[in-house]
Amino acid sequence: MHSIKKVIGKIEFGILAPQEIRKMSAAEITVPDTYDDDGYPIDGGLMDKRLGVIDPGLRCETCGARAGECPGHFGHIELARPVIHVGFAKTLFRVLQSTCRECGRILLTDEEIEEYMHKFEFAEGRRSEINRLIKEIHKKVKERKTCPHCGAPQFPIKFEKPTIYWETRIDEEGNEYKHRMMPSEVRDRLEKIPDKDLSLLGFHPENSRPEWMVLTVLPVPPVTTRPSITLENGVRAEDDLTHKLVDIIRINNRLKTNIEAGAPQLIIEDLWDLLQYHVTTYINNETSGVPAAKHKSGRPLKTLSQRLKGKEGRFRGNLSGKRVNFSARTVISPDPMISINEVGVPLAIAMELTIPEKVTEFNMEKLKKLISNGPDKYPGANYVIDPEGRRIRIMETNRETVLEMLDIGWTVERHLMDGDIVLFNRQPSLHRMSIMAHRVRVMPYKTFRLNLSVCPPYNADFDGDEMNLHVPQTEEAQAEARILMEVQNHIISPRYGGPLIGGIQDHISGGYLLTREGAYFTRLEVEQMLMFAGVDVDELPEPDRVEKGVEFWSGKTIFSLLLPKDLTIWYENKVGCKDKEKCEKLKKAIEEKLVLSDEEIRELSDDGFVYIRNGKLLSGVIDKKAYGREDGRLLDLIVKEYGTERGKQFLNQVTKLAIWVITHKGFTTAIDDEDLPQDAIERIREIIREAENNVNRLIQAYEMGELDAHPGKTLEETLESLIMQKLAEARDQAGDIASQYLGMGNHAVIMAKTGARGKILNITQMAAMLGQQSIRGKRLYRGYRGRVTTHFKPNDLGAEAKGFVVNSYKSGLTPTEYFFHAMGGREGLVDTAVRTAQSGYMQRRLINALQDLKVDYDGTVRDPSGIIVQFRYGEDGVDPMKSWGGKTLNVDRVIVRTLLKMRGE
Amino acid sequence: MAAKRKFNIFDHELVPEHRILSDEEKAELLKKYNIKLSQLPQIKASDPAVEELGAKPGDIIEIKRKSPTAGIYYYYRIVVED
């Protein structure tokens, strides 16, 4: 549609010369006023029609265009006396210090000039190097007392912020006195500097002469950059810049008349300073040492610098970041029934967002149907665009005519429909998986729906999170999103080369319930769950068991239906082997023979060791190691060997299957999951007694001086670490006892063991005891002098006085224990808060440092100027996302697959 | 150089091997990556390893590093004035 007409070769920055300002000026502005009483722009005023127009109906006197079409034109103000540009005040100071006050030459000898010229050449335009040299020259030159060229004595110059320069002169009698250098004097000196010396001061003499930093002419920005707003009551409110310019012109005119009238020097200098103040605040109203120019209401004016600076300034707010159309934002909620690469879009949003579709002979009928539905009936269309690019809104009134006119070559902006590709995003967008492409599923109600498996990459939950949706408008953008950004392409994380998207929580528990030893299902159940999971099977496999004429299938058999038919893999799962030797034997047998006979399997199979032979799960239960995130071996393998599409299908089916099982078997955890029999409680109490005795013995030994200090530690530190060791031991022992009494019949244990949610430690803390509370890895000690709370004697080193909690969450904490627990908990909260702030800042700085680096076609990593950063990307040239856990290829897998293929033939 | 160095930094296990490239190798390297000298990463002449080798500004140093991803990884840096 739009072809590139011109290519930008290079951009050069410089300072506007007074002559340039006059040349680009459309009018000289002399009247400190805007509109006359009739609301008409005053000639020579700040709203002069030659500067462009903003009122409808008027025509610009420079280009003749109407408001909205005329881009605006600059004007200028001839300043009665020159003033310093605040933004350059520091640079001017440096230049004044570096040059001779008489002849204007740089205060370097000819030899030095020669030497530095050479060094500049060597720097080859490297900015950091050049800046260093300029600094070095300045440092060397500012101490010089006489000019090496004309021999004139130099006086030290002082710079008083923001815009005043003092010269410490010496008169004939040798007395020091201070002379204020007015801007005109500064300008005179700068004019004398010859072009050839300027490059040593860091100037490009053609683009920026130093005297241009002292303003003699002030450009007046076009009216369009400072439009006035008409309030409801008809009163005009002028832009802050206009206000400031009015001040400048008023003072400038007064200064001019006073000079012409021959007013005393004192009055002229006062007005001159006032002009300087106004120009300074016009450029930057936050200059330190200058009181900010304020509005009548007391609000500081927003002048040029303020428009550009900061987060909401022109650069960060309008150029680096923009507001976009074709986007939507709403609350998210879960939907386990949609695919991982789908997103549920509320009907109301689908009718607002549109996709432009070109009319062809193939889709003409479909699009006509949409147009006749109009904007208010789903699936409809909101606009049509004719071949000339005119946009016509579809309404009741013009629907018929639009339908009649519609032809090939037109474009219809139709409602979002099922299958359309959209980008879905959740802030903070920390990695590339924070924006992924999804397929649309239009749904009722008002929230975005997403599959639970994609929560981890977005770091989303449903406690009120909102997410954004963007609709790519061109075919190119849609294709790009589809190929690069769709969810299934991000199952494998580029961080560690394993799955980032996988089954979570109930998906894992459900997988365990399905595949554990002794799980059998009737024909009805099997048919139901396969239907639910969307598995297409022509015929069920042979039943694993028949009892009294009823057929039963094992969960392992059903699970196998989801696997690719030639998949072979073995690994020890998360649940782990109870009988290590048996597993070792099984592993060895598999490694030797690859394909085991049914007999051997019956003999060696174990729930703790997974063996899948040609797409049949023969041993082991399915847990987090199979398709969980981070260590889903099975999912990883399917994605890498069978492609992302198969990986997506597997994940969709397996999660749904697990959900069916868990909902129909029932799965819950309650307080009775933490019930321990009386003798277990007795044993735990015994352990606590034992630990306390041990601690007391240690303290006694310490007090008697029998304790030997560990290397590198004081005696007190030694005692502390010994006590901590003993108490940690006690908690572990209590945990061991608790888990002895809690088996796989306990749902909390199932979740912990399979990796669905929680750790065994959490169960221990609920059922047996909480253990030692700590701050910064130390036992609690802060509070009163020598004790944490007043419930203990000062300097009590015992377990209970320093934050050892013997109770469990279930048995309930004593008041002191509760307080200790709160102390430890607070540290965790503070830690997370501090960590997010710190890592956010680090992330920002890393991005700023790395954003322009790219991998070149020769595999090197370079910055935009071609400077090499790495000679090979990542030192090995491997894309971790396409790798096997960081390695280019997995030799074992190649061998296994080759052997299997050979056996198969 | 007052006293003789007592300690050779290249004897330390954490200091990788450094080597000055010959003129032919230099030309080859620049040709291989199609770069100018100024596009190479820099190393100061005052760097202990450079001083030890006695390399002059303009020389290219080849550093043979151990890499967790690639095993051995060669890095090239041009010596620049301090």
Side-chain angles (χ1 to χ4, degrees):
Chain A
M1 226 166 22
H2 305 282
S3 60
I4 299 166
K5 299 203 178 73
K6 282 176 185 168
V7 176
I8 295 170
K10 66 172 181 180
I11 300 176
E12 249 172 29
F13 291 97
I15 301 166
L16 280 177
Q19 271 319 309
E20 269 180 285
I21 296 173
R22 290 193 190 99
K23 219 165 81 191
M24 70 181 192
S25 163
E28 188 187 344
I29 308 300
T30 49
V31 185
D33 217 340
T34 50
Y35 296 95
D36 62 19
D37 297 336
D38 305 328
Y40 198 75
I42 297 170
D43 282 344
L46 277 164
M47 291 292 164
D48 192 303
K49 290 203 294 295
R50 287 169 291 177
L51 303 188
V53 284
I54 47 167
D55 312 84
L58 293 179
R59 271 184 187 275
C60 167
E61 285 184 2
T62 303
C63 63
R66 266 188 288 263
E69 296 158 8
C70 166
H73 313 279
F74 272 91
H76 77 279
I77 299 170
E78 292 284 346
L79 296 174
R81 285 286 158 90
V83 290
I84 307 281
H85 187 304
V86 259
F88 296 120
K90 247 197 170 148
T91 318
L92 286 176
F93 179 50
R94 201 193 81 220
V95 175
L96 287 175
Q97 282 187 319
S98 312
T99 52
C100 172
R101 57 193 303 272
E102 294 291 336
C103 70
R105 292 295 307 271
I106 186 165
L107 295 172
L108 286 171
T109 62
D110 285 326
E111 295 83 64
E112 285 170 326
I113 290 175
E114 184 83 7
E115 185 195 327
Y116 277 113
M117 281 301 199
H118 188 76
K119 278 189 179 168
F120 268 92
E121 227 161 274
F122 191 74
E124 287 180 40
R126 279 194 307 271
R127 209 57 242 183
S128 58
E129 186 69 12
I130 290 170
N131 286 340
R132 221 201 73 225
L133 283 172
I134 290 168
K135 228 180 205 164
E136 194 181 304
I137 292 171
H138 177 232
K139 208 174 160 194
K140 192 178 240 173
V141 135
K142 71 178 181 196
E143 304 301 333
R144 300 251 155 119
K145 291 275 179 318
T146 48
C147 171
H149 301 282
C150 68
Q154 305 298 320
F155 298 123
I157 295 171
K158 270 211 185 105
F159 172 46
E160 190 184 311
K161 272 182 178 170
T163 48
I164 300 168
Y165 301 98
W166 297 93
E167 196 175 39
T168 320
R169 291 187 183 168
I170 301 167
D171 63 13
E172 286 92 61
E173 286 127 54
N175 296 324
E176 274 193 11
Y177 70 98
K178 279 190 174 169
H179 164 77
R180 163 140 189 226
M181 295 171 73
M182 293 309 279
S184 49
E185 192 188 338
V186 172
R187 197 166 198 280
D188 289 342
R189 274 206 200 174
L190 299 170
E191 275 171 3
K192 280 187 288 190
I193 306 172
D195 278 359
K196 60 179 187 235
D197 286 355
L198 278 177
S199 59
L200 291 173
L201 294 167
F203 283 81
H204 190 291
E206 275 158 45
N207 292 333
S208 37
R209 289 274 320 174
E211 67 264 25
W212 300 342
M213 294 178 171
V214 182
L215 300 165
T216 53
V217 184
L218 190 70
V220 175
V223 182
T224 41
T225 58
R226 43 184 176 89
S228 52
I229 340 162
T230 319
L231 301 171
E232 292 120 69
N233 51 16
V235 180
R236 266 182 196 275
E238 294 301 332
D239 190 271
D240 284 0
L241 280 186
T242 312
H243 279 303
K244 207 61 233 177
L245 284 165
V246 169
D247 292 342
I248 292 173
I249 296 169
R250 194 174 292 138
I251 299 303
N252 192 43
N253 287 350
R254 247 167 71 195
L255 182 58
K256 213 184 290 175
T257 47
N258 269 294
I259 293 169
E260 277 159 12
Q265 192 61 26
L266 213 65
I267 289 176
I268 290 180
E269 278 189 14
D270 273 359
L271 281 171
W272 195 349
D273 279 343
L274 198 55
L275 182 66
Q276 176 75 63
Y277 166 78
H278 283 306
V279 173
T280 301
T281 48
Y282 169 67
I283 291 160
N284 182 0
N285 203 13
E286 277 163 10
T287 320
S288 61
V290 178
K294 288 196 175 132
H295 210 253
K296 270 169 274 168
S297 61
R299 170 183 66 86
L301 293 176
K302 211 174 167 197
T303 52
L304 287 176
S305 246
Q306 281 66 52
R307 280 195 178 195
L308 308 178
K309 259 188 204 152
K311 199 166 176 188
E312 251 124 70
R314 199 91 326 136
F315 289 103
R316 275 176 76 187
N318 301 111
L319 291 163
S320 304
K322 290 186 169 68
R323 305 195 158 257
V324 293
N325 289 324
F326 304 104
S327 59
R329 179 185 176 95
T330 183
V331 178
I332 51 168
S333 45
D335 189 341
M337 301 305 289
I338 64 173
S339 167
I340 55 164
N341 77 335
E342 285 181 314
V343 56
V345 178
L347 189 68
I349 288 177
M351 287 169 69
E352 197 63 48
L353 298 174
T354 57
I355 287 193
E357 197 169 323
K358 271 242 157 70
V359 180
T360 64
E361 57 178 300
F362 309 107
N363 63 7
M364 185 98 132
E365 280 315 303
K366 182 186 104 184
L367 292 176
K368 276 194 166 162
K369 180 95 201 348
L370 295 179
I371 291 169
S372 60
N373 273 342
D376 298 323
K377 194 173 159 201
Y378 184 66
N382 294 353
Y383 286 94
V384 290
I385 301 164
D386 74 6
E388 272 84 62
R390 277 187 296 257
R391 187 182 266 268
I392 304 160
R393 186 170 177 95
I394 303 168
M395 287 171 293
E396 297 276 341
T397 46
N398 66 358
R399 194 174 296 171
E400 297 306 316
T401 42
V402 166
L403 274 175
E404 231 160 80
M405 286 194 298
L406 193 79
D407 203 357
I408 289 159
W410 286 53
T411 305
V412 178
E413 295 204 327
R414 47 150 255 250
H415 289 162
L416 215 54
M417 297 204 292
D418 284 3
D420 285 334
I421 196 109
V422 292
L423 304 185
F424 203 39
N425 159 242
R426 180 181 176 274
Q427 281 103 349
S429 312
L430 294 175
H431 54 194
R432 64 192 213 192
M433 286 77 75
S434 292
I435 304 180
M436 291 191 285
H438 288 246
R439 301 301 179 115
V440 167
R441 275 280 281 270
V442 179
M443 289 179 162
Y445 311 120
K446 298 209 159 130
T447 58
F448 285 136
R449 252 55 62 79
L450 55 112
N451 186 289
L452 289 132
S453 293
V454 293
C455 285
Y458 291 118
N459 190 21
D461 48 42
F462 306 105
D463 60 3
D465 290 25
E466 291 183 58
M467 284 180 73
N468 313 317
L469 182 129
H470 298 267
V471 186
Q473 294 287 302
T474 63
E475 283 85 357
E476 289 96 321
Q478 286 163 16
E480 225 172 83
R482 204 159 37 233
I483 292 163
L484 300 172
M485 299 176 72
E486 251 195 315
V487 174
Q488 61 264 35
N489 298 325
H490 293 89
I491 294 175
I492 306 294
S493 162
R495 195 164 79 218
Y496 45 83
L500 172 71
I501 297 168
I504 51 170
Q505 306 199 356
D506 280 7
H507 303 153
I508 311 284
S509 310
Y512 173 79
L513 296 183
L514 174 71
T515 56
R516 68 174 164 187
E517 208 54 62
Y520 288 91
F521 300 88
T522 62
R523 173 174 283 272
L524 182 71
E525 286 172 325
V526 172
E527 284 169 350
Q528 287 272 321
M529 71 172 83
L530 289 179
M531 194 56 128
F532 183 87
V535 184
D536 194 16
V537 196
D538 296 329
E539 213 175 322
L540 285 183
E542 284 293 301
D544 292 290
R545 217 174 68 198
V546 183
E547 254 169 46
K548 295 177 192 157
V550 185
E551 298 164 305
F552 286 101
W553 284 265
S554 79
K556 288 192 170 72
T557 310
I558 303 164
F559 181 81
S560 304
L561 294 172
L562 309 186
L563 297 171
K565 290 292 153 269
D566 55 348
L567 182 115
T568 297
I569 188 181
W570 59 92
Y571 60 86
E572 188 181 340
N573 62 19
K574 179 114 184 164
V575 174
C577 304
K578 279 191 207 84
D579 186 353
K580 292 276 174 217
E581 263 170 51
K582 193 173 155 198
C583 282
E584 257 332 287
K585 247 161 98 187
L586 177 61
K587 192 176 164 198
K588 228 184 213 142
I590 297 166
E591 273 166 5
E592 267 166 29
K593 296 186 203 156
L594 216 54
V595 179
L596 296 189
S597 69
D598 292 348
E599 219 125 288
E600 285 168 305
I601 289 163
R602 211 167 302 129
E603 186 190 329
L604 291 170
S605 78
D606 188 289
D607 260 1
F609 198 92
V610 172
Y611 174 45
I612 294 169
R613 183 193 68 195
N614 288 327
K616 292 245 170 346
L617 176 62
L618 297 173
S619 166
V621 297
I622 293 307
D623 58 14
K624 193 169 179 228
K625 266 269 184 71
Y627 53 83
R629 51 185 294 253
E630 273 164 18
D631 43 19
R633 299 279 305 271
L634 199 52
L635 179 63
D636 191 29
L637 196 75
I638 290 174
V639 173
K640 276 168 188 159
E641 288 188 355
Y642 300 87
T644 54
E645 206 58 43
R646 187 70 178 83
K648 179 192 87 184
Q649 189 198 358
F650 173 70
L651 196 54
N652 277 332
Q653 293 182 345
V654 89
T655 50
K656 276 195 179 175
L657 194 68
I659 287 167
W660 190 92
V661 174
I662 204 166
T663 44
H664 287 254
K665 283 236 153 195
F667 192 81
T668 178
T669 181
I671 200 154
D672 63 357
D673 272 347
E674 281 76 50
D675 277 342
L676 289 178
Q678 197 53 44
D679 57 321
I681 294 169
E682 289 300 333
R683 283 173 67 188
I684 290 168
R685 280 200 193 132
E686 183 51 43
I687 284 167
I688 293 167
R689 259 196 303 278
E690 180 77 13
E692 276 169 355
N693 285 339
N694 278 333
V695 170
N696 288 335
R697 261 198 294 280
L698 281 168
I699 294 168
Q700 250 169 29
Y702 164 73
E703 280 165 354
M704 313 261 287
E706 287 165 3
L707 213 60
D708 287 327
H710 284 172
K713 281 186 176 154
T714 65
L715 205 57
E716 285 74 25
E717 283 166 351
T718 310
L719 177 69
E720 274 301 303
S721 77
L722 285 174
I723 291 173
M724 298 257 304
Q725 209 179 314
K726 278 274 175 284
L727 293 177
E729 236 168 67
R731 195 197 57 197
D732 291 344
Q733 282 169 8
D736 288 343
I737 288 168
S739 37
Q740 273 171 33
Y741 288 90
L742 304 170
M744 279 314 238
N746 183 311
H747 288 169
V749 175
I750 290 180
M751 287 194 283
K753 285 264 171 78
T754 56
R757 192 74 217 240
K759 296 263 149 59
I760 286 292
L761 175 68
N762 299 118
I763 300 174
T764 312
Q765 289 196 323
M766 289 189 280
M769 77 163 124
L770 226 53
Q772 179 68 45
Q773 301 299 307
S774 68
I775 290 179
R776 295 215 191 147
K778 285 201 177 94
R779 294 203 293 162
L780 304 178
Y781 59 92
R782 277 182 277 206
Y784 294 91
R785 198 180 303 159
R787 50 186 169 165
V788 184
T789 70
T790 47
H791 306 79
F792 303 98
K793 294 217 167 71
N795 301 317
D796 183 352
L797 289 173
E800 297 209 18
K802 292 214 148 196
F804 187 67
V805 179
V806 297
N807 276 305
S808 64
Y809 285 125
K810 186 173 178 247
S811 67
L813 274 52
T814 67
T816 47
E817 284 178 339
Y818 186 90
F819 191 79
F820 292 145
H821 182 232
M823 287 175 75
R826 175 65 59 83
E827 191 201 20
L829 288 180
V830 172
D831 267 11
T832 35
V834 170
R835 229 187 356 255
T836 41
Q838 278 180 347
S839 65
Y841 185 47
M842 188 180 84
Q843 166 110 356
R844 195 180 140 73
R845 290 174 49 146
L846 275 173
I847 289 172
N848 282 337
L850 300 175
Q851 61 183 352
D852 295 320
L853 300 186
K854 72 168 199 181
V855 183
D856 253 326
Y857 283 108
D858 62 356
T860 56
V861 180
R862 301 185 188 218
D863 80 351
S865 59
I867 293 174
I868 292 181
V869 177
Q870 279 185 340
F871 288 88
R872 204 147 165 66
Y873 169 72
E875 305 193 339
D876 58 359
V878 170
D879 175 359
M881 200 174 164
K882 304 275 165 66
S883 72
W884 294 82
K887 292 276 171 287
T888 330
L889 98 172
N890 186 338
V891 182
D892 289 347
R893 278 312 294 176
V894 176
I895 295 170
V896 167
R897 293 183 64 174
T898 320
L899 283 177
L900 280 172
K901 213 166 250 173
M902 283 165 61
R903 304 266 166 92
E905 278 162 9
Chain B
M1 287 283 168
K4 230 181 127 189
R5 273 179 204 276
K6 278 181 248 148
F7 175 69
N8 183 344
I9 55 164
F10 291 117
D11 292 340
H12 195 283
E13 62 167 354
L14 291 178
V15 179
E17 266 178 54
H18 288 60
R19 186 172 72 89
I20 305 176
L21 289 190
S22 68
D23 285 348
E24 297 87 70
E25 286 172 317
K26 250 168 98 168
E28 202 183 316
L29 181 80
L30 296 187
K31 207 174 144 230
K32 181 178 172 194
Y33 292 108
N34 191 21
I35 48 169
K36 288 180 288 186
L37 279 178
S38 62
Q39 288 173 313
L40 280 172
Q42 301 174 343
I43 187 168
K44 279 190 178 170
S46 61
D47 187 282
V50 176
E51 277 184 352
E52 185 75 28
L53 281 176
K56 300 276 162 301
D59 285 346
I60 298 178
I61 306 283
E62 180 191 84
I63 303 164
K64 187 180 175 185
R65 289 184 184 151
K66 281 188 195 126
S67 158
T69 51
I72 291 168
Y73 173 65
Y74 291 98
Y75 202 73
Y76 302 92
R77 300 171 75 171
I78 183 161
V79 181
V80 292
E81 271 174 75
D82 193 24

